[in-house]
């Protein structure tokens, strides 16, 4: 573990974040979109931890815990919204939720 | 004790929410919940008084939260805008929610929590605190947007706002991670100091990536153009009092944080040499936002969507103010927010809260159709509402002598004052855009006064609090336009506070002479 340079971790973080972002934008299933959001936040957590290790500093470790707690709250609200959506559409497909067009 | 008093606006707003929840629990199940709106508004009034009293004129951070929050005049000004929109959203809801079958006490509690989150977001200096504030504010707004359970449109609006809002939060957090990586600190002032003491041009990759991510995240919140897709749908689908809050408070706080964050963290003038510089990025966003908002606004036939695009366009004008930062005397060469921006936000918030609020009063018993045909003949059927709407809409359009005109006039003048020649083209573009925008504002007026009522004429909700609120908004739109001097003075004072002061030990690290002028 000691030999792994910062850039490797950052590549992983950016990859997770990008996969998540692409998932949020392209996948039409609300649940998959929620999971993609989680993936983005986890990418951020990897970045925080990598930087904390690189700097030998515990500050970002605390930040990661806060991010995880907030992510849990976000998922709670998100799942409630998915259920509300399902009650109306009998599906969690975001493409069917297009009564209004941007 | 002093600390507790300094923090009083934040805990007062949270206590309002808890109080509302308790009263809601103790009331009979079938009893109407409208009175909670007054409780919320009263709580917000107390919060506003506390904010002005304790924050105004003090640059002091509460010692036991050292470096976490900056409680100053800048915070007080924007706190007032947030509380104004919040109180209006609570009062408009008193008659709106029962008519739309969602008379729940939770709405008022969520409104109070959302305001509390907005205050934390606004005053935060620590970036994780800022993220927490953003989430407290946004999570409450997601739920409120989906509050009208019987309506598929409202649920859809909540879902859309949630997905894209979550995306924006992740962007903000990733930006924070990169700032941490570059400097080893999560405190805005510390980060700014690091960049002032270490030449940032030598290794600008992390700050550059962070800047783009942060601007994107806050661009979502203020509905600037590449990130505006959610705005019309969410503003349209959400219960209209929630739209009042989103168009007023969320946008105002978004701009305040954008200004404070960029001006504090990227204080070193050397940052102008980044490949994507902050002024360049903001200017591009500004011009895109103005044109796209206006062009799409022209083709809309729904009043709520017209006002949504109008609110996008206003973000464009405000970004132009964000681009034209002003220099202040000082060794660090720090620049501050253009002093037209806070005043412009004030005029915008007052008029847009009034306009959306009046729309919330049109359409009783769950009616959601807000097309232009629907409001045809409003002038004859509901002369008072139509007159108030006319004032608010004309103010948004920038017709003299209303507030919106003074806001635009002062903002454009101050943008020109920064760089009379260089900024002239951008100001000309902005003025042209205000003329384009006049088309769809006047269209609302024409439909209200010169069209016969359609087959389904509008039926307005009759409720005292809503009418009073709308009246106050319209009166303020006239008052600020006629006597702007006080507000302009306040705005100038606020903008001086926009960049947090950083005390550096040595000289500012500037790029070596050979590198400058490369741009």
């Amino acid at each position: 573990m000691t030999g792994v340079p910062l850039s490797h971790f950052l590549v992983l973080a950016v990859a997770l974040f990008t996969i998540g972002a692409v998932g949020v934008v392209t996948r039409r299933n609300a649940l998959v979109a929620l999971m993609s959001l989680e993936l983005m936040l986890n990418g951020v957590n990897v970045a925080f931890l990598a930087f904390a290790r690189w700097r030998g500093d515990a500050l970002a470790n605390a930040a990661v815990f806060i991010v995880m707690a907030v992510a849990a709250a976000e998922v709670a609200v998100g799942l409630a919204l998915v259920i509300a959506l399902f009650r109306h559409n009998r599906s969690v497909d975001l493409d069917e939720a297009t009564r209004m067009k941007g | 004790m002093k600390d507790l008093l300094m923090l009083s606006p934040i805990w007062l707003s949270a206590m309002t929410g808890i109080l509302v929840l308790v009263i809601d629990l103790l009331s009979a199940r079938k009893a109407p919940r409208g009175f909670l709106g007054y409780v919320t508004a009263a709580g917000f009034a107390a919060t506003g008084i506390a904010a002005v009293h304790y924050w105004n004129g003090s640059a002091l951070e509460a010692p036991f939260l050292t470096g976490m929050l900056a409680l100053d005049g800048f915070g007080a000004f924007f706190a007032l805008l947030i509380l104004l929109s919040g109180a209006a959203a609570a009062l408009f809801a008193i008659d709106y929610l029962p008519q739309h079958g969602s008379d729940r006490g939770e709405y008022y509690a969520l409104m109070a929590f959302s305001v509390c989150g907005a205050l934390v977001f606004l005053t935060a200096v620590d970036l994780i605190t800022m993220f927490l504030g953003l989430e407290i504010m946004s999570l409450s707004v997601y739920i409120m947007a989906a509050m009208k359970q019987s309506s598929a449109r409202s649920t859809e609006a909540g879902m859309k706002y949630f997905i894209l809002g979550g995306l924006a939060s992740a962007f903000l957090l990733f930006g924070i991670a990169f700032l941490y990586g570059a400097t080893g600190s999560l405190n805005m002032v510390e980060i700014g100091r690091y960049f002032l003491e270490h030449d940032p041009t030598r290794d600008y990759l992390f700050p550059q990536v962070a800047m783009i991510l942060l601007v994107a995240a806050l661009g979502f919140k203020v509905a600037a153009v590449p990130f505006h897709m959610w705005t019309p749908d969410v503003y349209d689908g959400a219960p209209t009092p929630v739209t009042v809050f989103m168009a007023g408070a969320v946008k105002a706080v978004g701009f305040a944080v954008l200004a404070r964050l960029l001006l504090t963290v990227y204080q070193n003038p050397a940052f102008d040499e980044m490949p994507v510089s902050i002024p360049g990025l903001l200017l591009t966003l500004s011009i895109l936002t103005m044109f796209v908002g206006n062009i799409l606004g022209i083709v809309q036939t729904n009043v709520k969507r017209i006002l949504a695009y109008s609110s996008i366009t206003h973000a464009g004008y405000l970004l132009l103010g964000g681009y034209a930062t002003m220099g202040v005397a000082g060794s660090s060469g720090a620049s501050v927010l253009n002093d037209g921006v806070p005043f412009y936000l004030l005029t915008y918030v007052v008029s847009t809260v009034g306009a959306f609020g009046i729309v919330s009063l049109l359409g009783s018993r769950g009616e959601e159709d807000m097309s232009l045909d629907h409001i045809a003949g409003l002038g004859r059927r509901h002369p008072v509402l139509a007159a108030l709407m006319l004032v608010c809409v004309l103010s948004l359009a920038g017709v003299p002598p209303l507030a919106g005109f003074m806001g635009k006039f002062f903002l454009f003048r101050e943008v020109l004052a920064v760089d009379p020649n260089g900024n002239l083209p951008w100001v000309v573009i902005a003025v042209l855009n205000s003329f384009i925008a006049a088309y769809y504002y006047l269209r609302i007026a024409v439909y209200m006064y010169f069209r016969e009522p359609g087959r389904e004429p509008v039926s307005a909700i009759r409720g005292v609090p809503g009418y009073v609120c709308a009246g106050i908004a319209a009166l303020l739109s006239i008052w600020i336009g006629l006597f702007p001097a006080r507000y302009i003075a306040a705005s100038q004072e606020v903008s001086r506070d926009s960049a947090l002061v950083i005390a550096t030990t040595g000289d500012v690290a500037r790029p070596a002479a050979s590198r400058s002028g490369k741009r």
Side-chain angles (χ1 to χ4, degrees):
Chain A
M1 187 80 174
T2 42
V4 184
L6 174 70
S7 55
H8 288 41
F9 288 108
L10 284 189
V11 168
L12 174 65
V14 171
L16 282 175
F17 189 85
T18 315
I19 293 169
V22 171
V24 171
V25 175
T26 57
R27 298 306 291 270
R28 297 329 299 174
N29 187 315
L31 286 171
V32 177
L34 263 181
M35 284 188 248
S36 305
L37 274 182
E38 288 302 299
L39 205 58
M40 290 175 82
L41 290 179
N42 282 325
V44 173
N45 280 345
V46 170
F48 264 127
L49 290 174
F51 283 131
R53 212 182 120 75
W54 181 51
R55 297 196 156 269
D57 174 27
L59 185 61
N61 295 352
V64 167
F65 279 110
I66 294 178
V67 172
M68 282 161 71
V70 169
E74 208 173 86
V75 164
V77 172
L79 287 177
L81 284 171
V82 169
I83 291 173
L85 191 72
F86 182 78
R87 285 207 181 119
H88 282 290
N89 291 354
R90 292 282 135 202
S91 107
V92 290
D93 194 328
L94 291 174
D95 270 345
E96 284 178 30
T98 46
R99 278 174 189 78
M100 301 167 291
K101 289 198 194 75
Chain B
M1 195 60 199
K2 180 85 168 60
D3 304 341
L4 207 58
L5 289 176
M6 284 296 284
L7 287 173
S8 57
I10 290 168
W11 57 255
L12 269 174
S13 52
M15 291 293 276
T16 307
I18 294 168
L19 183 72
V20 166
L21 270 186
V22 170
I23 300 178
D24 179 49
L25 210 63
L26 294 178
S27 319
R29 275 191 70 175
K30 297 277 174 198
R33 293 290 193 261
F35 66 97
L36 291 173
Y38 297 110
V39 176
T40 316
F44 288 171
T47 311
I49 293 168
V52 172
H53 186 259
Y54 291 113
W55 293 359
N56 208 5
S58 93
L60 182 86
E61 295 124 38
F64 77 95
L65 288 169
T66 317
M68 288 277 172
L69 303 172
L71 310 171
D72 51 9
F74 182 82
F77 183 89
F78 287 100
L80 280 187
L81 293 187
I82 295 166
L83 292 162
L84 210 72
S85 329
L91 292 173
F92 280 121
I94 291 175
D95 290 301
Y96 178 92
L97 292 181
Q99 290 281 349
H100 292 260
S102 43
D103 191 15
R104 291 160 199 282
E106 290 93 333
Y107 171 84
Y108 303 102
L110 284 170
M111 185 59 76
F113 292 143
S114 180
V115 163
C116 174
L119 292 181
V120 174
F121 184 41
L122 166 67
T123 52
V125 175
D126 183 272
L127 294 176
I128 292 297
T129 312
M130 192 177 93
F131 171 70
L132 267 183
L134 172 74
E135 286 295 295
I136 297 172
M137 172 180 83
S138 306
L139 287 180
S140 316
V141 177
Y142 303 148
I143 306 172
M144 283 193 288
M147 200 83 190
K148 206 159 129 193
Q149 276 183 332
S150 58
S151 156
R153 288 156 63 97
S154 171
T155 309
E156 239 180 80
M159 194 72 216
K160 271 187 190 155
Y161 196 28
F162 173 80
I163 298 270
L164 290 170
L167 199 69
S169 303
F171 271 71
L172 184 84
L173 210 52
F174 211 33
I176 293 173
F178 274 109
L179 281 183
Y180 173 76
T183 64
S185 170
L186 284 168
N187 187 302
M188 258 190 234
V189 175
E190 297 293 326
I191 295 172
R193 181 179 298 139
Y194 182 94
F195 284 146
L196 281 176
E197 288 172 353
H198 301 76
D199 177 5
T201 48
R202 220 169 335 126
D203 193 9
Y204 56 72
L205 178 65
F206 286 175
Q208 171 73 86
V209 173
M211 189 273 279
I212 294 173
L213 287 168
L214 294 172
V215 169
L218 291 165
F220 266 109
K221 289 292 158 194
V222 303
V225 146
F227 322 109
H228 71 292
M229 306 80 71
W230 58 274
T231 318
D233 287 358
V234 174
Y235 280 20
D236 183 13
T240 321
V242 182
T243 312
V244 169
F245 188 74
M246 289 191 285
V250 175
K251 187 164 284 207
V253 76
F255 270 107
V257 171
L258 187 65
R260 174 155 268 177
L261 189 61
L262 293 184
L263 289 170
T264 306
V265 168
Y266 294 93
Q267 221 167 72
N268 193 332
F271 275 121
D272 284 352
E273 298 195 4
M274 287 192 294
V276 180
S277 71
I278 295 175
L281 184 61
L282 291 185
L283 182 66
T284 315
L285 289 184
S286 157
I287 288 171
L288 263 179
T289 308
M290 283 189 251
F291 275 113
V292 174
N294 270 332
I295 289 165
L296 293 178
I298 285 176
V299 298
Q300 300 301 318
T301 55
N302 177 313
V303 180
K304 269 172 107 173
R305 296 181 80 88
I306 290 178
L307 289 176
Y309 280 107
S310 126
S311 119
I312 294 175
T313 316
H314 282 277
Y317 306 136
L318 284 161
L319 281 171
L320 189 63
Y323 148 78
T325 50
M326 309 171 81
V328 283
S331 59
S332 67
S335 46
V336 296
L337 184 62
N338 192 301
D339 58 7
V341 172
F343 179 65
Y344 192 95
L345 264 172
L346 171 71
T347 63
Y348 160 78
V349 165
V350 165
S351 309
T352 209
V353 159
F356 273 119
I358 293 162
V359 171
S360 84
L361 297 175
L362 305 174
S364 52
R365 288 182 296 282
E367 242 175 331
E368 281 182 327
D369 174 24
M370 279 301 146
S371 62
L372 280 169
D373 289 328
H374 182 74
I375 64 157
L378 188 72
R380 205 167 313 149
R381 297 177 53 89
H382 297 283
V384 179
L385 276 186
L388 296 178
M389 184 76 175
L390 186 68
V391 171
C392 291
V393 165
L394 289 184
S395 170
L396 283 173
V399 173
L402 297 167
F405 169 75
M406 279 321 288
K408 282 207 177 70
F409 177 75
F410 186 61
L411 177 69
F412 295 162
R413 202 189 75 183
E414 292 300 293
V415 169
L416 270 186
V418 173
D419 179 7
N421 293 319
N423 285 346
L424 188 63
W426 318 129
V427 171
V428 168
I429 287 179
V431 172
L432 273 179
N433 266 291
S434 347
F435 282 120
I436 302 175
Y439 169 77
Y440 52 80
Y441 292 118
L442 289 178
R443 207 156 156 221
I444 295 180
V446 165
Y447 267 86
M448 283 195 305
Y449 282 100
F450 301 117
R451 291 286 164 93
E452 292 301 316
R455 266 175 296 122
E456 293 173 48
V458 54
S459 53
I461 301 173
R462 298 197 178 279
V464 178
Y467 275 65
V468 170
C469 253
I472 291 175
L475 270 182
L476 275 177
S477 301
I478 299 171
W479 177 264
I480 296 174
L482 291 178
F483 306 102
R486 261 190 83 190
Y487 307 99
I488 287 177
S491 168
Q492 284 166 332
E493 210 170 294
V494 164
S495 71
R496 272 200 295 276
D497 276 348
S498 56
L500 290 169
V501 179
I502 298 172
T504 46
T505 45
D507 285 337
V508 176
R510 290 174 194 278
S514 58
R515 297 185 59 119
S516 59
K518 198 173 61 178
R519 194 162 142 238

